[in-house]
Amino acid sequence: IKKIDLVEIDEEVIKVSKKYLKKIHEESYKDKRVNIIVDDGIKFLNKTKENYDIIILDLTDPGPLAIFLYTNKFYDLIKSKLNKNGIVTLHTETPYMVDKIHIRIIKTLMKSFKYVQPYYNYIPIYGTIMGFALCSNKKPLVTKKIFEKRIKKIRKLKMFNYDSYMSMRN
């Protein structure tokens, strides 16, 4: 990883996270590769000239004020900011409690991206399985050997390895 642009609309979220979520961030925001940008994500995407290998979306849940974030127009904007082999990942609601929304998000993603791979994980704070999706226009190919080589570079992983990765896929 050479550069990370973290875009957050609410500066207070950044301040509170720095102060109270130290066990999670482990002061990673001090890494020279991290560029914290306080801006509306859509505005940022519309004005940036950057293209990315990976875009991770932590979106507001679907609702009247956030409906645009779950449209093909938005997903096509995201796609336009990906490099040729780029991927995007995002949460897609819980498949058990709001299954119609989860399915609608997946179907919408499938209209914008050639490959959409749903995956699932138990999130203790919510007490349920949450849905996610990995999206790309090129089929992501990750063998166990490549995965383990890459994962060694990430320090202090407690719950994520090749077997857990494979179990999250549908």
Side-chain angles (χ1 to χ4, degrees), residues 72-112:
N72 287 110
K73 188 172 181 178
F74 178 68
Y75 298 145
D76 289 345
L77 173 62
I78 295 293
K79 183 170 65 174
S80 75
K81 298 303 176 181
L82 288 173
N83 288 324
K84 179 183 169 190
N85 298 327
I87 59 172
V88 62
T89 188
L90 67 155
H91 67 88
T92 58
E93 292 300 317
T94 173
Y96 301 113
M97 292 187 212
V98 285
D99 57 331
K100 290 178 182 172
I101 294 172
H102 169 72
I103 291 166
R104 190 175 314 134
I105 293 169
I106 297 296
K107 285 183 176 181
T108 305
L109 287 165
M110 292 171 82
K111 292 176 185 173
S112 289

Side-chain angles (χ1 to χ4, degrees), residues 5-99:
D5 287 337
L6 185 152
V7 182
E8 169 57 51
I9 194 168
D10 187 347
E11 189 169 17
E12 195 63 26
V13 169
I14 296 167
K15 289 177 185 175
V16 169
S17 298
K18 284 180 178 180
K19 184 174 181 179
Y20 295 106
L21 301 177
K22 291 180 182 184
K23 285 187 176 182
I24 295 172
H25 65 68
E26 296 179 345
E27 299 195 353
S28 57
Y29 61 89
K30 291 182 179 179
D31 188 307
K32 292 176 185 174
R33 299 171 294 176
V34 177
N35 180 31
I36 298 175
I37 301 159
V38 178
D39 197 357
D40 178 281
I42 296 168
K43 289 179 183 174
F44 173 80
L45 288 168
N46 278 313
K47 65 186 174 189
T48 187
K49 303 294 184 214
E50 294 281 339
N51 280 1
Y52 297 91
D53 294 323
I54 300 171
I55 296 177
I56 302 169
L57 299 172
D58 183 14
L59 303 174
T60 302
D61 289 334
L65 297 176
I67 198 70
F68 179 74
L69 301 175
Y70 295 90
T71 64
N72 287 110
K73 188 172 181 178
F74 178 68
Y75 298 145
D76 289 345
L77 173 62
I78 295 293
K79 183 170 65 174
S80 75
K81 298 303 176 181
L82 288 173
N83 288 324
K84 179 183 169 190
N85 298 327
I87 59 172
V88 62
T89 188
L90 67 155
H91 67 88
T92 58
E93 292 300 317
T94 173
Y96 301 113
M97 292 187 212
V98 285
D99 57 331

Side-chain angles (χ1 to χ4, degrees), residues 120-169:
Y120 304 92
N121 200 6
Y122 178 77
I123 307 298
I125 195 166
Y126 295 121
T128 190
I129 300 288
M130 288 295 293
F132 302 88
L134 181 67
C135 310
S136 179
N137 284 318
K138 184 175 180 190
K139 188 174 185 175
L141 250 167
V142 179
T143 64
K144 185 173 184 176
K145 185 176 178 180
I146 291 170
F147 182 93
E148 288 177 349
K149 181 180 175 186
R150 290 178 180 170
I151 209 79
K152 281 182 183 178
K153 295 178 182 180
I154 303 172
R155 59 187 162 89
K156 297 184 182 179
L157 291 178
K158 296 177 180 129
M159 296 177 57
F160 192 64
N161 57 35
Y162 186 76
D163 292 331
S164 63
Y165 164 71
M166 291 304 290
S167 73
M168 288 189 272
R169 300 176 64 185

